């Protein structure tokens, strides 16, 4: 599997974190020198670092340094009502002393100065509203420089032929390390790439579904160190189940198990798909020719589902979607905080985006990749959630694709150099997450992100079928998907026809 981004071990990221923090603390106003920028060579290159700041990483976008005469280069991005999934790292108003905010401001200032333009953003709305917004703009022939939508909206606008094949955007180099090669590999269609994830935004990182664990429960119940299990490749589903049962405790002695007790695994309706993928299954994937094929119904997927349903039928698991008593009516984000804070769970299904909320809890916690099926499984697999993620695309009404290609490459390179380290620092901020083990786990997690193309396009409501079986704890995987096989295939063929790809 292609790696999330090229790194030379966690120590490289740590060095970058220290570099950006040092740069923020030593910079008077954080702005690049316009005079220096005006003397730039024809190809954008990073300033020569002083000996003590030199690293092995190179962030040269390899694009021309054009003067865009103050043009307002606008990103059209998602904003949700609760602000949880809002794309927040494209533009900020001013420096405020916070590492991530200031890294975003300084990146934009560098791009603005180097290319004589103004990075701007336009909010389109939440899930569903973004696709409607783009459709209206494209139908009216309005210029749009760049769009960042979640997976649901992006596949919708791509399916209407409203975005360009990124392979045809001048100067856009999708082989660069700031592009997520897993997203490009998993979500291309017949050699065409209509959207991609990368370091121009951390929205894709935020939407990766992983496992949070309470460290005190590991110690108190004398369990194996999960970090070591991950390193050794032995953090398997069987081990996950064993550890979940080991902590099951009826704290109040009322003869039942709920959020007042200690349970092994706290999960949500979406986690069925997460665990299905984690055990090495995909609803659909690309064959050697780059054509999608339906892969949900295999001997391994049936065996995996039986194991998963057997697990969530046990007392050591608790569904946030269907089984809460005290916390009923609360959002799943708040429930995770309460349960981890109170040490009422060992493991919890979380988005990486949840970590920001969890940083304030008193209980010591860590983050892990999702468990493998068994030790023979080659790699950990961590699902990127279509609802929460962010993909870059270029609408067909973009008036200057060359300008977009140049700016996006430069923007992405600078983001990887300065914003990514600040993102890591924010993610690991707090007295419990700032440790080498957590940093190592993040590298493993982001290197093993998978994008299930069948989940993204939800052909024949594959995701809906999995979610329904998961919430009702039904072990009817084979029969459920055998009934929908024809509908799934027709739905996929319809997508290919709409894209103008395939046979």
């Amino acid at each position: 599997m292609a790696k999330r981004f090229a790194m030379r071990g966690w120590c490289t990221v740590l060095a970058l974190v220290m570099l950006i923090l040092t740069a923020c603390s030593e910079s008077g106003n954080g702005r690049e020198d316009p005079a220096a920028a005006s003397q730039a060579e024809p190809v954008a290159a990073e300033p020569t670092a002083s000996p003590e700041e030199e690293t092995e990483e190179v962030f040269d976008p390899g694009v021309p340094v054009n003067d865009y005469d103050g043009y307002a280069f606008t990103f059209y991005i998602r904003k949700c009502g609760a602000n949880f999934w809002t794309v927040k790292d494209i533009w900020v108003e001013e420096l405020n002393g916070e590492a991530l905010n200031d890294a975003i401001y300084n990146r934009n200032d560098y791009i603005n100065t180097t290319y004589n333009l103004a990075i701007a953003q336009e909010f389109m709305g939440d899930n569903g509203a973004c696709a409607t917004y783009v459709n209206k703009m494209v139908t009216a022939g309005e210029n749009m420089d760049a769009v960042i939508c979640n997976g649901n909206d992006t596949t919708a606008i791509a399916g209407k032929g409203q975005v360009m094949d990124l392979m045809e955007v001048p100067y856009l180099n999708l082989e660069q390390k700031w592009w997520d090669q897993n997203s490009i590999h998993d979500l291309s269609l017949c050699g065409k790439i209509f959207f991609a994830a990368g370091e121009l935004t951390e929205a894709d990182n935020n939407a990766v579904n992983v496992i949070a664990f309470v460290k005190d429960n590991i110690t108190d119940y004398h369990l194996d160190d999960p970090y070591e299990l991950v390193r050794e490749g032995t953090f398997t589903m069987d081990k996950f189940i064993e550890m979940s049962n080991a902590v099951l405790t009826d704290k109040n002695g009322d003869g039942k198990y709920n959020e007042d007790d200690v349970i092994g695994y706290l999960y949500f309706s979406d986690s069925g798909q997460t665990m299905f993928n984690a055990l090495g299954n995909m609803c659909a994937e690309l064959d050697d020719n780059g054509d999608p094929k339906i892969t949900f119904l295999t001997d391994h997927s049936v065996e995996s589902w039986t194991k998963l349903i057997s697990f969530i039928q046990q007392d050591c698991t608790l569904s946030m979607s269907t089984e809460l008593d005290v916390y009923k009516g609360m959002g799943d984000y708040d429930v995770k905080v309460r349960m981890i804070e109170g040490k009422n769970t060992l493991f919890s299904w979380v988005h990486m985006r949840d970590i920001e909320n969890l940083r304030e809890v008193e209980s010591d916690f860590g983050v892990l990749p999702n468990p493998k099926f068994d030790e023979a499984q080659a790699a950990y697999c961590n699902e990127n959630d279509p609802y929460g993620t962010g993909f870059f695309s270029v609408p067909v009404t973009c008036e200057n694709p060359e300008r977009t290609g140049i700016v996006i490459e430069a923007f992405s390179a600078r983001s990887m150099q300065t914003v990514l380290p600040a993102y890591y620092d924010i993610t690991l901020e707090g007295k419990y997450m700032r440790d080498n083990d957590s940093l190592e786990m993040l590298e493993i997690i982001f290197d093993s992100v998978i994008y299930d193309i069948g989940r993204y396009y939800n052909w024949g409501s594959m995701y809906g079928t999995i979610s329904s079986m998961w919430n009702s704890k039904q072990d009817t995987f084979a029969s459920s998907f055998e009934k929908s096989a024809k509908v799934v295939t027709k739905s996929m063929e319809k997508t290919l026809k709409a894209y103008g790809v395939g046979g």
Side-chain angles (χ1 to χ4, degrees):
M1 179 177 288
K3 286 196 172 184
R4 174 68 173 83
F5 41 68
M7 287 189 179
R8 296 177 176 83
W10 64 265
C11 56
T12 301
V13 182
L14 185 58
L16 286 171
V17 171
M18 295 300 102
L19 177 59
I20 186 61
L21 290 177
T22 300
C24 288
S25 64
E26 293 181 354
S27 174
N29 58 14
R31 300 177 67 86
E32 301 285 347
D33 181 1
S38 67
Q39 299 173 9
E41 297 296 325
V43 173
E46 300 304 324
T48 303
S50 61
E52 65 272 14
E53 294 178 342
E54 286 183 351
T55 70
E56 296 182 16
E57 294 280 4
V58 177
F59 300 95
D60 180 1
V63 296
V65 179
N66 294 340
D67 185 332
Y68 289 115
D69 196 27
Y71 176 76
F73 186 94
T74 305
F75 287 86
Y76 292 83
I77 60 180
R78 177 187 186 182
K79 180 177 178 59
C80 65
N83 225 29
F84 190 83
W85 292 117
T86 296
V87 178
K88 302 176 183 178
D89 56 357
I90 294 300
W91 182 88
V92 294
E93 185 173 359
E94 60 185 1
L95 295 165
N96 66 6
E98 295 180 1
L100 184 56
N101 178 92
D102 290 0
I104 294 166
Y105 182 91
N106 289 330
R107 173 204 58 201
N108 291 359
D109 187 66
Y110 172 82
I111 297 297
N112 291 343
T113 302
T114 302
Y115 294 91
N116 189 17
L117 51 77
I119 295 296
Q121 66 181 16
E122 181 78 26
F123 287 124
M124 296 184 291
D126 202 355
N127 180 55
C130 293
T132 300
Y133 190 106
V134 173
N135 179 63
K136 181 179 179 179
M137 292 284 284
V138 170
T139 300
E142 296 288 341
N143 172 54
M144 300 184 80
D145 296 308
V147 166
I148 300 176
C149 292
N150 72 358
N152 301 336
D153 284 323
T154 300
T155 53
I157 61 177
K160 293 182 178 180
Q162 294 178 333
V163 296
M164 298 177 61
D165 178 0
L166 297 182
M167 298 292 287
E168 297 179 357
V169 176
Y171 293 104
L172 205 62
N173 185 357
L174 298 179
E175 295 181 358
Q176 288 280 18
K177 58 190 174 184
W178 38 82
W179 292 107
D180 183 351
Q181 298 307 310
N182 290 352
S183 75
I184 292 168
H185 174 272
D186 293 348
L187 297 174
S188 63
L189 278 175
C190 306
K192 294 190 176 185
I193 302 169
F194 296 99
F195 49 90
E199 300 312 333
L200 79 164
T201 176
E202 299 307 326
D204 57 323
N205 289 344
N206 288 334
V208 178
N209 295 330
V210 294
I211 300 293
F213 74 98
V214 177
K215 293 182 180 180
D216 282 351
N217 284 340
I218 295 292
T219 302
D220 294 346
Y221 290 88
H222 309 290
L223 303 177
D224 292 332
D225 180 358
Y227 291 136
E228 284 301 318
L229 294 174
V230 171
R231 294 185 186 104
E232 295 168 358
T234 56
F235 188 54
T236 64
M237 195 64 210
D238 285 341
K239 189 66 176 179
F240 191 79
I241 295 171
E242 174 193 318
M243 296 173 75
S244 295
N245 275 291
V247 303
L248 183 62
T249 303
D250 183 7
K251 288 179 65 176
N252 58 14
D254 64 357
K256 62 181 182 179
Y257 297 100
N258 58 27
E259 58 268 35
D260 289 329
D261 303 308
V262 180
I263 52 98
Y265 178 50
L266 180 71
Y267 68 93
F268 191 62
S269 58
D270 289 355
S271 57
Q273 179 77 38
T274 300
M275 283 298 197
F276 178 70
N277 289 143
L279 302 193
N281 306 287
M282 299 283 271
C283 290
E285 55 189 330
L286 304 179
D287 62 20
D288 292 339
N289 296 320
D291 299 324
K293 61 179 181 180
I294 305 302
T295 57
F296 59 66
L297 192 54
T298 66
D299 290 342
H300 181 71
S301 66
V302 173
E303 183 181 1
S304 298
W305 194 255
T306 297
K307 182 185 289 288
L308 290 171
I309 294 300
S310 175
F311 172 48
I312 64 171
Q313 288 174 344
Q314 299 176 32
D315 288 334
C316 65
T317 68
L318 183 67
S319 169
M320 287 180 273
S321 307
T322 62
E323 297 177 331
L324 287 177
D325 294 328
V326 178
Y327 300 149
K328 187 170 290 185
M330 293 178 61
D332 63 288
Y333 318 114
D334 296 322
V335 172
K336 295 167 196 174
V337 171
R338 294 282 187 92
M339 292 289 284
I340 292 173
E341 175 75 62
K343 304 179 186 179
N344 297 107
T345 185
L346 173 62
F347 298 120
S348 178
W349 174 88
V350 298
H351 308 292
M352 284 303 304
R353 178 68 178 80
D354 286 312
I355 303 304
E356 183 175 340
N357 293 335
L358 292 172
R359 286 187 292 118
E360 302 303 322
V361 305
E362 291 298 321
S363 299
D364 199 347
F365 75 95
V367 175
L368 304 167
N370 290 284
K372 301 191 295 183
F373 180 81
D374 57 23
E375 293 182 32
Q377 184 172 318
Y380 295 99
C381 298
N382 298 284
E383 177 210 16
N384 184 283
D385 191 324
Y387 181 85
T389 195
F391 287 104
F392 160 73
S393 62
V394 182
V396 293
T397 53
C398 175
E399 66 181 15
N400 191 336
E402 177 183 293
R403 178 177 58 209
T404 288
I406 290 172
V407 173
I408 292 298
E409 281 295 300
F411 190 92
S412 299
R414 195 70 175 183
S415 294
M416 188 174 188
Q417 182 178 11
T418 61
V419 179
L420 179 62
Y423 170 81
Y424 265 76
D425 181 65
I426 291 296
T427 303
L428 297 174
E429 184 177 335
K431 56 185 176 181
Y432 304 121
M433 279 290 287
R434 190 184 293 277
D435 59 67
N436 293 343
D437 290 323
S438 295
L439 193 57
E440 183 182 358
M441 292 302 110
L442 285 187
E443 184 176 355
I444 292 171
I445 288 167
F446 289 141
D447 279 356
S448 57
V449 175
I450 61 98
Y451 298 80
D452 189 335
I453 194 169
R455 160 82 155 104
Y456 271 79
Y457 287 96
N458 198 22
W459 291 312
S461 191
M462 286 189 284
Y463 168 67
T465 300
I466 288 177
S467 182
S468 177
M469 290 189 297
W470 183 252
N471 288 329
S472 59
K473 302 184 180 182
Q474 293 180 359
D475 186 10
T476 56
F477 194 88
S479 59
S480 295
F481 277 118
E482 282 172 353
K483 293 177 182 178
S484 63
K486 290 184 179 179
V487 175
V488 169
T489 300
K490 288 184 179 179
S491 180
M492 181 184 71
E493 292 173 348
K494 183 178 179 180
T495 296
L496 295 178
K497 183 178 180 181
Y499 276 31
V501 297

